[in-house]
Amino acid sequence: MAERPLPSPLPADLPENWALDQIVAPDGTSVGLTQQHGYNYLMEQVNAAHRGVNAINESFDTISGKRTCRFVVGTSTAGWTEADCDYLCDGVDDQAEIQAAIDAVPSGGGEIVLLAGKYQITGPVTVPAAIALRGSGISNTTLNIQKIAYSGDNSSAITLFGSLIALQVFGFSNEASNSEYLVTGGNCRITEVSFWPDIHAACVSLSGGVVYVMNCIFHTLSGSIALDAQNVGSNSTFLFHSNYFSLGGSIVVSGEEDLNPPLVSIIGNHAPVPISISLDNIRRHSIVACNILDKLELLHSAGGDVSSKGCLIANNVVYPNNPGPCITLGEDTRYNFVTGNQIVNPNNGAQKLIQDSGEGNIVRFNSNDTGGGSGASGVASFNGRTGTVMPQAGDYTAGMVGARPDTWTPTAADVGAVTGQGVQTIQTLTQAEYDALTAKDPSTLYIIKE
């Protein structure tokens, strides 16, 4: 609540019962009247009123002049009253009051502030574009999603087109087999949100537009999906930065076509139980960097010549827990750069390395690649060998490197000799033979030993 320009309200007790021929004095009591009848008291209150008006006038200098809309929602279960908020929930079907506040926001947009407390959600909530649903802190405001009756699958508790900020989403038990906590659409932002789903629910299902997920906590079970963006449309952008996955989980992004695939930026996500990342048909220049991973795969299943090429996979720490390669570049992936990734215990099975089945990808300077002229090349297989591939005799033929075989005998044409005269083998002169040359005519000197 803003501070009042006048901390103490004016008393508003100036007399209104003046009579004709009354004596005016500095202090009203000196002429048998009340103190308020004295003109010193009168002037004191007039000056206080002037100061208050000036303070109000000056406060407009700090106001932008732009109209904003903010509704406050509280719950009586946390002790809030109608005097504290615009909409008061009562712990039963609280989505009704929350949705009413959202629907009351003008078309220009605004913000719904949820005061600290636990809100019981038993039905869907939709947050339109240009509206932010903001809690009072990730550990203070809780949306407790209970069993919700849906007419079919692929439903969600929250449909987000705007922003979700600074709260936690807890619970969830749903009969719909493919239901999620939250489904996004269009351009939206999810920041400082903690998700606590049960075993039957995914966390967030993402669709088109620009979706920004940052500084969130996902308490998903290892192997379950935390962020799911499958079969998304053209020109989508997904940014997942600095999130924490307490029990593992996965990030899945796949474009539905090769033309205008989604752009992906997955940076700085941490997990004590490493997460898996699956990317299919994503846009060039996508980045996966500085994450804690179990495995990562980059695929190109849509065909065409646009997606899954020119991406950067760098500086990730990979703890491979499952059979198969820890980083996979699928068929038809092209010109991707995989570098600087640390593979923990890379020798714990030859299958736990980097598999490149694409074309023109650069896979170098990862922890399983000693480089520098000694050690492994960093590839997963060569000439039928798998695992840490070391150079062996016979890997390259003389023709592959432009060399002549050991059995090669030069022809006259090879050394510029006259055809038909043959070529004699060049031999080394002894010191005595070289000294004897000084006695010969210089015009007849030869360096070829006859």
Side-chain angles (χ1 to χ4, degrees), residues 352-424:
K352 298 180 184 297
L353 292 175
I354 301 174
Q355 177 178 308
D356 180 10
S357 300
E359 176 183 340
N361 297 311
I362 300 176
V363 182
R364 287 307 307 269
F365 308 115
N366 300 287
S367 64
N368 66 320
D369 175 7
T370 57
S374 63
S377 64
V379 299
S381 62
F382 184 79
N383 275 3
R385 304 192 305 277
T386 60
T388 304
V389 180
M390 302 294 291
Q392 292 184 7
D395 279 346
Y396 303 97
T397 65
M400 290 170 64
V401 296
R404 298 292 189 181
D406 295 339
T407 56
W408 174 73
T409 301
T411 65
D414 290 327
V415 296
V418 179
T419 303
Q421 293 187 356
V423 180
Q424 294 184 353

Side-chain angles (χ1 to χ4, degrees), residues 195-217:
F195 293 93
W196 295 78
D198 68 10
I199 193 172
H200 301 295
C203 270
V204 180
S205 179
L206 309 168
S207 59
V210 178
V211 181
Y212 189 22
V213 183
M214 178 178 180
N215 293 339
C216 293
I217 301 175

Side-chain angles (χ1 to χ4, degrees), residues 13 32 39 77 92 132 134 254 266 275 289 335 358 398 400 416 424 443 450:
D13 60 350
Y39 57 77
T77 60
V92 179
R134 179 187 296 273
S254 63
I266 305 176
I275 64 173
Y335 317 124
M400 290 170 64
Q424 294 184 353
S443 63
E450 300 178 353

